[in-house]
Amino acid sequence: MMTQTHFLVLSAALFMIGIIGVMTRRNIIIVLMSMELMLNAVNINLIAFSRQLGDVTGQVFAVFVICVAAAEAAVGLGIILAFYRNKETINIDEMNLMRW
Amino acid sequence: MIEAVVFPLIKIVIVLAAVLTTVMYIVLLERKVQAWVQVRLGPMRVGPHGVLQPLADVLKLFVKEDITPVLADKWVFTAAPIIVLVPALIAFAVIPFASNEMKLFGLPISGRIADVNVGLLYVVSVASLGIYGIILGGWSSNSKYPLIASLRASAQLISYEIAVTMTLVTVIMLAGTLSMVGIVDAQAKQGMWFAFMQPVAFFIYFVGGLAETNRAPFDLPEAEQELVAGFHTEYSGMRFAFYFLAEYANMIVVSAVATTLFFGGWLQPFPNVSWLSWLGIVPGWIWFCTKTFVFLYVFLWVRATFPRYRYDQLMRLGWKWLIPLAILNVVVTGFLKVLL
Amino acid sequence: MAEVVVFYIFAALILGFAVLVITAKSTVHSVLYLVADFLCVAALYVVLEAQFLAVIQVMVYAGGIVVLYLFVVMLVNLKRPPELHIDPRRLGRLGTVMALAVFGELVAIGTYGWLKPSGFDGTLDPKNIEQVGRALYTDYLVPFEVASVLLLVAMIGAIVLAKRET
């Protein structure tokens, strides 16, 4: 029997996996991909609630989340490319140009 | 219950068999048409006038040695041809081959495998998944020619995908629905095929379709004179056969979608002209196959006629000419739809 | 009944691929697992009767954003992988406490849902895309226009950042 809790637990677990990815990996591209996992978890949550309440607002919000994720991925990867050209590294431990 | 499972399975088997047979014979037809254009005869030895040549080709590709480069990423190298072939084949699930209500031995069957209410978007999204096979095929071969060729091919694909999607927006505006079955029904209701109401969109769609399937004159990424054999340099035997199959299956998908969207799918031409009503005897799926075949023939004809575009000319055409033209088409169609 | 089975299969696939994304050694394999993850999420959206979102997920996320990631991964293909040493500043104990707190929260959600099961009250219109389109162009028109400006700015920004200095 299908309840809302199934989707909530799935979304929470996916969000946690995303957070673990962001906190433990050193490769900045994997960090950005874990952020995409987190945004997907939020989307699953929104759409599960949209179905429960019969309101299409949740899906509209999910469309906006996807738009913002696309913009963020483009700009983030542009920054990574610009950084890589200057310092030849994608390890976030070595990205400390602003630290004295 | 049984209609929901058994009928679609039978239809899937029929459609896949038809597509694969068509792909084999399109290969032969391409060689013959190119030969006749160049005043020679093409394959003539295997079977009468070379009709059994595809069987010989399939047999050759089966028994060829399967080489994997030593430093290649084995897992991805194996998966890339599959990733390129599957989207080309699953796009046929939403294309309507015949009318919705048909009777076969008294049982009602519909002329398509599935009627998805976002059918056109499904075809576009599945086409955008095919890019992975090209990128991964080039990268996993771990050698420089395939890598450069795959990056060029995928950049070309994603550029022309934008122009193609914009033209589909105008078709959706005219039809009022995204379902492919609904688009054909809208053409039947309006009495005129969308190609005559939207000639610019049809032209952009066809040119974009040529670029999406890496066909001449946009076939720089896989031309023999340019980068050895492009992104499938390191593939041999059955894996190369998959890439080959996928390219021609993509051609058939583009032709089938062009038929459905712009030329009325399975509808007969001139339904209102009374002295041509004998055309109604021909069943819908034969009209569909004929129209798709005409488009496939135009693909082969264009390959034999035009010289190849250079890569920067190709990108300039896509970004600076086709995309603004497609957007202008959307704006003008929107205006006319409101005013008329 | 069939819905529950389908949900469990796709949920297992989603979580499995997500774990593989964050633990794969090769970055390209991570990207491929991410694509598979997004396709399973799109299948879950179809189960949730959000067909338009499912197709948008495949087209934009799996077919656009992850292709961008793949391009960047191929352009920064390093010979030595970045994770070579253990960071001495890692706080192991704090991490374990936080993980236990999260686990407790998940158990709380599950128990609450089991005690007061909430079914699906409302029903969605089967003409899903018409509804979404109507809502986007009437109630949420301003966020729609702002999102389009955001995408334009992001596009220009990405081009400027990634351009070579000639």
Side-chain angles (χ1 to χ4, degrees):
Chain A
M1 216 264 302
M2 185 57 106
T3 62
Q4 185 73 340
T5 315
H6 289 98
F7 291 102
L8 294 185
V9 170
L10 168 69
S11 152
L14 190 61
F15 194 79
M16 285 303 127
I17 294 177
I19 289 190
I20 294 174
V22 169
M23 292 201 300
T24 53
R25 291 293 298 241
R26 297 280 151 251
N27 189 342
I28 192 166
I29 301 182
I30 309 269
V31 167
L32 281 182
M33 290 203 289
S34 311
M35 276 170 50
E36 301 291 335
L37 281 180
M38 294 201 284
L39 287 168
N40 264 294
V42 167
N43 268 348
I44 296 179
N45 215 346
L46 282 169
I47 293 179
F49 274 115
S50 147
R51 178 179 174 206
Q52 185 194 16
L53 302 171
D55 193 357
V56 89
T57 308
Q59 297 182 20
V60 170
F61 203 153
V63 169
F64 287 127
V65 169
I66 294 182
C67 281
V68 169
E72 167 232 337
V75 174
L77 290 171
I79 293 178
I80 292 177
L81 272 182
F83 202 90
Y84 177 75
R85 271 201 218 113
N86 283 320
K87 275 203 81 168
E88 283 283 323
T89 181
I90 50 173
N91 189 344
I92 56 177
D93 285 337
E94 297 170 18
M95 294 180 175
N96 51 8
L97 278 178
M98 282 170 51
R99 185 212 293 176
W100 276 102
Chain B
M1 162 64 191
I2 196 157
E3 298 98 49
V5 176
V6 172
F7 281 179
L9 275 176
I10 300 178
K11 281 190 243 181
I12 290 174
V13 169
I14 295 177
V15 167
L16 281 183
V19 166
L20 293 175
T21 317
T22 312
V23 163
M24 289 201 319
Y25 277 93
I26 289 285
V27 174
L28 172 67
L29 189 67
E30 170 165 29
R31 291 169 70 172
K32 286 294 223 182
V33 163
Q34 292 234 298
W36 290 332
V37 164
Q38 296 162 4
V39 195
R40 55 184 173 91
L41 282 176
M44 293 281 283
R45 290 199 168 230
V46 188
H49 284 274
V51 162
L52 294 180
Q53 179 74 29
L55 293 177
D57 280 338
V58 166
L59 199 60
K60 175 198 80 162
L61 286 170
F62 255 126
V63 302
K64 240 186 179 177
E65 181 190 353
D66 189 19
I67 309 174
T68 309
V70 170
L71 289 175
D73 193 338
K74 255 202 96 49
W75 201 92
V76 178
F77 190 76
T78 315
I82 306 175
I83 298 179
V84 117
L85 181 63
V86 168
L89 292 180
I90 64 177
F92 283 102
V94 292
I95 296 183
F97 298 101
S99 75
N100 289 333
E101 300 91 27
M102 294 196 305
K103 287 216 167 290
L104 188 69
F105 310 121
L107 294 166
I109 58 171
S110 57
R112 81 242 170 222
I113 301 180
D115 180 20
V116 181
N117 62 345
V118 286
L120 194 53
L121 269 188
Y122 167 81
V123 171
V124 174
S125 63
V126 145
S128 70
L129 284 181
I131 298 178
Y132 280 106
I134 298 181
I135 301 180
L136 294 173
W139 179 84
S140 68
S141 306
N142 204 8
S143 97
K144 42 183 193 296
Y145 293 123
L147 186 62
I148 302 179
S150 76
L151 288 177
R152 277 190 184 178
S154 50
Q156 174 186 327
L157 249 65
I158 55 184
S159 314
Y160 282 83
E161 210 174 270
I162 306 174
V164 163
T165 313
M166 285 282 153
T167 68
L168 299 181
V169 167
T170 51
V171 170
I172 299 169
M173 282 205 281
L174 287 180
T177 171
L178 273 179
S179 130
M180 303 282 262
V181 175
I183 292 179
V184 176
D185 287 340
Q187 289 181 72
K189 205 156 53 87
Q190 290 185 4
M192 183 151 67
W193 293 344
F194 287 155
F196 305 113
M197 303 211 298
Q198 289 275 323
V200 178
F202 171 62
F203 172 72
I204 297 177
Y205 178 78
F206 202 72
V207 171
L210 280 178
E212 287 271 313
T213 52
N214 280 331
R215 289 290 293 184
F218 302 110
D219 64 348
L220 196 72
E222 57 176 38
E224 279 92 9
Q225 299 94 333
E226 292 292 328
L227 284 167
V228 189
F231 52 86
H232 45 73
T233 309
E234 301 284 344
Y235 284 91
S236 62
M238 214 46 214
R239 303 180 205 230
F240 175 70
F242 269 28
Y243 269 111
F244 215 45
L245 253 178
E247 176 178 331
Y248 287 95
N250 266 323
M251 259 171 64
I252 302 180
V253 167
V254 168
S255 308
V257 169
T259 316
T260 309
L261 295 181
F262 293 105
F263 276 87
W266 45 265
L267 298 171
Q268 70 165 88
F270 304 118
N272 302 322
V273 180
S274 57
W275 58 272
L276 281 178
S277 66
W278 51 269
L279 288 173
I281 304 179
V282 181
W285 57 272
I286 293 195
W287 282 119
F288 179 82
C289 292
T290 311
K291 293 178 205 175
T292 309
F293 178 73
V294 167
F295 281 117
L296 284 171
Y297 186 77
V298 174
F299 266 97
L300 306 181
W301 194 3
V302 164
R303 179 177 182 177
T305 314
F306 290 108
R308 194 171 284 140
Y309 268 99
R310 214 173 55 223
Y311 190 64
D312 58 320
Q313 293 171 334
L314 204 158
M315 295 302 257
R316 191 194 61 199
L317 180 74
W319 286 99
K320 290 195 186 172
W321 284 98
L322 288 187
I323 293 181
L325 198 59
I327 297 179
L328 192 65
N329 191 23
V330 170
V331 170
V332 168
T333 308
F335 266 129
L336 290 178
K337 200 147 167 46
V338 166
L339 293 177
L340 296 178
Chain C
M1 181 55 206
E3 201 183 338
V4 182
V5 168
V6 167
F7 168 77
Y8 275 121
I9 294 176
F10 279 119
L13 282 175
I14 289 174
L15 293 178
F17 280 129
V19 169
L20 282 171
V21 166
I22 66 174
T23 57
K25 286 222 184 52
S26 146
T27 318
V28 173
H29 289 177
S30 264
V31 173
L32 291 182
Y33 291 134
L34 194 69
V35 175
D37 195 77
F38 287 166
L39 293 177
C40 296
V41 169
L44 202 66
Y45 289 171
V46 174
V47 170
L48 279 170
E49 295 175 33
Q51 298 99 0
F52 179 60
L53 249 307
V55 179
I56 291 291
Q57 168 95 359
V58 173
M59 199 160 70
V60 173
Y61 248 122
I65 295 180
V66 187
V67 171
L68 193 56
Y69 274 104
L70 199 54
F71 267 116
V72 172
V73 164
M74 288 199 293
L75 285 174
V76 292
N77 202 6
L78 291 180
K79 286 306 165 209
R80 63 164 180 88
E83 0 256 322
L84 274 186
H85 59 277
I86 302 278
D87 189 359
R89 291 176 302 224
R90 283 175 71 169
L91 304 158
R93 264 166 286 181
L94 182 58
T96 315
V97 167
M98 283 171 64
L100 284 175
V102 166
F103 183 67
E105 235 184 274
L106 281 179
V107 167
I109 300 176
T111 317
Y112 185 75
W114 182 63
L115 288 175
K116 290 175 48 167
S118 58
F120 293 104
D121 309 319
T123 47
L124 281 176
D125 197 337
K127 291 206 211 169
N128 176 256
I129 184 166
E130 267 192 30
Q131 286 260 335
V132 173
R134 211 178 291 272
L136 264 180
Y137 278 96
T138 51
D139 294 331
Y140 301 102
L141 182 62
V142 176
F144 181 73
E145 300 294 336
V146 170
S148 60
V149 174
L150 172 73
L151 285 170
L152 177 69
V153 169
M155 192 161 69
I156 298 177
I159 293 175
V160 167
L161 279 169
K163 219 164 56 127
R164 269 180 211 283
E165 309 291 329
T166 50

